[in-house]
């Protein structure tokens, strides 16, 4: 995990490390964390959008949401990574 901070909720940490362990994932960069209320369980990760070089996901903790960039290499495997994430975190 890279980024300005590396502090995550314990539920999120395990799930982000799982995403980082996927063979197609080259890097996971933590973005801004915001304290807010949401309807998702702690540790839930949800696809947000496609971006150049990878995807953005939202990761939900007990106190808020964290914006995360997932760098995918090769980029042709982007849909596969999105599918794997969706299967694991299907509500």
């Amino acid at each position: 995990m890279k980024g300005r901070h590396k502090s995550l909720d314990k539920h999120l940490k395990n799930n982000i490390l799982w995403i980082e362990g996927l063979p197609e994932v080259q890097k996971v960069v933590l973005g801004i964390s915001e304290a807010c209320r949401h309807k998702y369980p702690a540790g839930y990760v949800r696809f947000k959008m496609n971006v150049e070089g990878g995807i953005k996901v939202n990761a939900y903790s007990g106190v808020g949401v964290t914006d995360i960039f997932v760098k995918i290499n090769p980029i042709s495997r982007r849909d596969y990574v999105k599918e794997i994430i969706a299967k694991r975190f299907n509500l």
Side-chain angles (χ1 to χ4, degrees), residues 71-89:
K71 181 163 177 50
I72 299 170
N73 191 17
I75 197 64
S76 60
R77 302 287 286 171
R78 179 188 335 217
D79 289 333
Y80 174 73
V81 171
K82 287 174 16 183
E83 184 180 314
I84 293 290
I85 290 172
K87 280 183 183 175
R88 176 163 174 135
F89 299 103

Side-chain angles (χ1 to χ4, degrees), residues 8-13 15 33-45 59-66:
L8 284 174
D9 183 78
K10 66 180 176 182
H11 299 98
L12 275 180
K13 193 169 201 166
N15 291 334
S33 281
E34 290 187 63
C36 65
R37 292 166 57 175
H38 54 78
K39 65 179 182 178
Y40 300 103
Y44 188 78
V45 177
Y60 298 90
S61 67
V63 295
V65 61
T66 303

Side-chain angles (χ1 to χ4, degrees), residues 2 5 7 14 19 25 35 47 56 68 71 74 86-88:
K2 299 194 184 251
H5 60 89
S7 59
N14 292 333
I19 291 172
V25 173
F47 170 75
K56 288 264 192 154
I68 297 176
K71 181 163 177 50
K87 280 183 183 175
R88 176 163 174 135

